[in-house]
Amino acid sequence: MIRCLAVENYRSLRSLVVELDQLTVVTGANGTGKSSLYRALRLLADSARNGAVAALAREGGLPSTLWAGPETIGKAVRAGDHPVQGTVRRGPVALRLGFADDDLGYAIDFGLPQPALSAFQLDPLVKREAVWAGPVLRPATLLAERAGTMLRIRDGRSWSTFPDSVGPFDSMLSEYTDPQRAPELLTLRERVRSWRFYDQIRTDQRAPARQIRIGTRTPVLAHDGADLAAALQTILEIGDQAALAASIDAAFPGSALEIGIEGTRFEVRLRQPGMLRSLGAAELSDGTLRYLLWTAALLSPRLPALLVLNEPETSLHPELVRPLADLIASSAERTQVVVVSHSRALIDALTGDDKATRIELVKDLGETKVEGQGRFDHPPWQWPKR
Ligand SMILES: Nc1ncnc2c1ncn2[C@@H]1O[C@H](COP(=O)(O)OP(=O)(O)OP(=O)(O)O)[C@@H](O)[C@H]1O
Ligand SMILES: [Mg+2]
């Protein structure tokens, strides 16, 4: 389980360290940084797949994603006596992301390339990376470290160094795979790669989830829901069939799910009371389809190590929020779940019986903060030094 997530200089997250629980609900007003937190987690996962540089480029490159405020916010500015002003930089530009789970920690530090050396001025360089044992990075807990293109791996009481073993734009987590020399790197990479992110899955008329497709056994629903019918059929065959039926009945009383199979092609169908025939994927309403997508994602027979849901309540009728909360709570008994949500009903349903930890984000001079978190009451965290 991930205990702690740390982000620095990513959009409005100037410096944030949050504690995550088995089930964590992230909420806050518009523009407080909920989506940024979600995206920061996804960037971390991308770095294990070596997609972080491309993901940052899609967001407009490092300069656009970097915290746009001043490097430090002085007391006078906080008190409102002075306007916010740019100051001369004391430290290098650094966008940093990291997390610590039960036994391993990881951090990555992106910086700007040297001007004039390359035309790709928007591509971030990976300046530092570190993997350590236990909750906090210390010289004694460090297991592997990367500085520029140089890799250093703990080898008993000494260190093995590997010059030029990772490209300047690549993550060591994705590039260096030696199960003998660095088993922790591999372990961590596999963990991070298994994280799943579900964000505004399309339900419009041309949505992938509405297409009839060739079905293969699908224990985990794809990010875009394209394999919905196969994922539901997989739950029917090797998953919790009773929970699936109960969840459909709780949301649409009297209705039953059917997977239409013609040859190798699968289609989601729903038999509803009052209908002479079941309705196919192209005929289901947006909200109905979305609920089926959540059912497939949350009842997955092989849940990932971390499941992150962005605004799952979108386009659901308030009456569906309770069954959705039950689905989320039951999957949180099997894996770690982070839910970013606006919906008071969903948050109340999830946090009601103390099953979930709630993180309320607030904006302070453009900077995202955790409501009620004092300067020193976040989990201990140490970034790798440049
Ligand atoms: N580079 C940047 N530096 C500082 N702040 C930024 C930067 N880029 C975006 N922001 C601000 O970060 C804030 C958080 O955006 P985010 O999308 O995370 O909000 P949100 O909590 O998801 O809001 P909503 O509820 O509207 O979806 C916004 O106010 C945005 O203007
Ligand atoms: Mg948002």
Side-chain angles (χ1 to χ4, degrees):
M1 179 170 126
I2 300 168
R3 302 279 171 190
C4 167
L5 169 72
V7 186
E8 205 174 80
N9 293 327
Y10 177 64
R11 290 159 55 91
S12 60
L13 314 178
R14 189 180 77 88
S15 173
L16 196 76
V17 182
V18 291
E19 198 173 342
L20 298 182
D21 206 343
Q22 183 75 19
L23 174 56
T24 311
V25 181
V26 180
T27 184
N30 287 129
T32 47
K34 300 179 297 299
S35 298
S36 302
L37 193 72
Y38 172 87
R39 284 157 72 170
L41 260 168
R42 212 173 47 188
L43 265 182
L44 257 172
D46 284 341
S47 65
R49 300 189 185 95
N50 222 12
V53 168
L56 279 170
R58 276 195 298 278
E59 296 186 23
L62 193 58
S64 158
T65 39
L66 265 186
W67 159 245
E71 191 180 9
T72 50
I73 302 175
K75 274 205 194 94
V77 175
R78 286 214 179 278
D81 299 340
H82 275 300
V84 176
Q85 272 177 340
T87 45
V88 178
R89 273 206 159 273
R90 273 177 292 171
V93 168
L95 188 162
R96 308 197 274 196
L97 306 164
F99 72 93
D101 66 17
D102 290 318
D103 50 356
L104 291 171
Y106 170 73
I108 186 163
D109 171 351
F110 295 99
L112 287 171
Q114 292 253 303
L117 285 187
S118 160
F120 299 105
Q121 284 301 307
L122 295 183
D123 286 7
L125 276 179
V126 183
K127 297 275 187 179
R128 285 282 185 280
E129 264 179 301
V131 170
W132 61 91
V136 188
L137 170 62
R138 279 183 283 114
T141 59
L142 188 63
L143 296 170
E145 180 186 47
R146 168 274 173 84
T149 58
M150 163 86 95
L151 199 63
R152 215 158 68 99
I153 294 171
R154 187 181 287 278
D155 182 7
R157 300 190 66 112
S158 64
W159 291 87
S160 306
T161 22
F162 305 93
D164 293 322
S165 51
V166 270
F169 302 96
D170 298 326
S171 152
M172 71 171 182
L173 217 52
S174 65
E175 292 304 289
Y176 194 82
T177 49
D178 185 333
Q180 253 85 50
R181 287 209 179 97
E184 294 86 2
L185 243 61
L186 217 57
T187 307
L188 203 62
R189 177 176 81 152
E190 291 317 309
R191 272 184 211 169
V192 176
R193 282 194 175 178
S194 86
W195 297 357
R196 275 272 156 169
F197 296 83
Y198 292 110
D199 181 18
Q200 316 288 339
I201 308 178
R202 278 177 57 193
T203 55
D204 57 282
Q205 280 309 311
R206 291 162 164 260
R210 291 191 191 270
Q211 315 300 322
I212 301 173
R213 275 171 205 270
I214 291 176
T216 55
R217 198 163 276 124
T218 306
V220 183
L221 181 75
H223 293 279
D224 62 356
D227 48 11
L228 174 65
L232 289 168
Q233 181 64 29
T234 309
I235 298 172
L236 289 173
E237 288 187 15
I238 60 164
D240 192 342
Q241 198 178 356
L244 177 57
S247 158
I248 304 279
D249 192 62
F252 315 110
S255 300
L257 178 75
E258 287 174 2
I259 305 298
I261 300 174
E262 264 186 48
T264 53
R265 298 165 84 77
F266 286 41
E267 182 190 18
V268 182
R269 306 191 65 88
L270 196 64
R271 185 165 285 283
Q272 291 161 303
M275 295 286 111
L276 291 174
R277 59 173 181 89
S278 60
L279 296 185
E283 300 163 314
L284 298 174
S285 77
D286 285 356
T288 308
L289 186 64
R290 176 136 306 156
Y291 186 82
L292 294 179
L293 284 160
W294 288 125
T295 312
L298 292 161
L299 290 178
S300 158
R302 202 201 303 145
L303 280 172
L306 175 71
L307 199 56
V308 194
L309 317 178
N310 194 25
E311 300 184 7
E313 71 275 8
T314 309
S315 89
L316 291 188
H317 185 271
E319 275 183 7
L320 293 190
V321 166
R322 182 81 232 184
L324 174 67
D326 290 342
L327 272 175
I328 295 175
S330 78
S331 65
E333 283 168 12
R334 298 191 289 143
T335 192
Q336 185 171 21
V337 184
V338 176
V339 183
V340 176
S341 175
H342 259 141
S343 154
R344 178 136 314 273
L346 181 63
I347 296 160
D348 288 348
L350 286 174
T351 53
D353 37 15
D354 280 341
K355 277 207 191 119
T357 297
R358 175 188 164 131
I359 295 179
E360 171 108 29
L361 298 180
V362 289
K363 208 63 172 296
D364 176 23
L365 279 176
E367 175 183 352
T368 297
K369 297 228 159 140
V370 176
E371 167 96 320
Q373 188 185 68
R375 249 168 71 114
F376 300 107
D377 46 294
H378 56 69
W381 183 262
Q382 195 68 53
W383 292 109
K385 294 216 167 36
R386 278 247 181 122

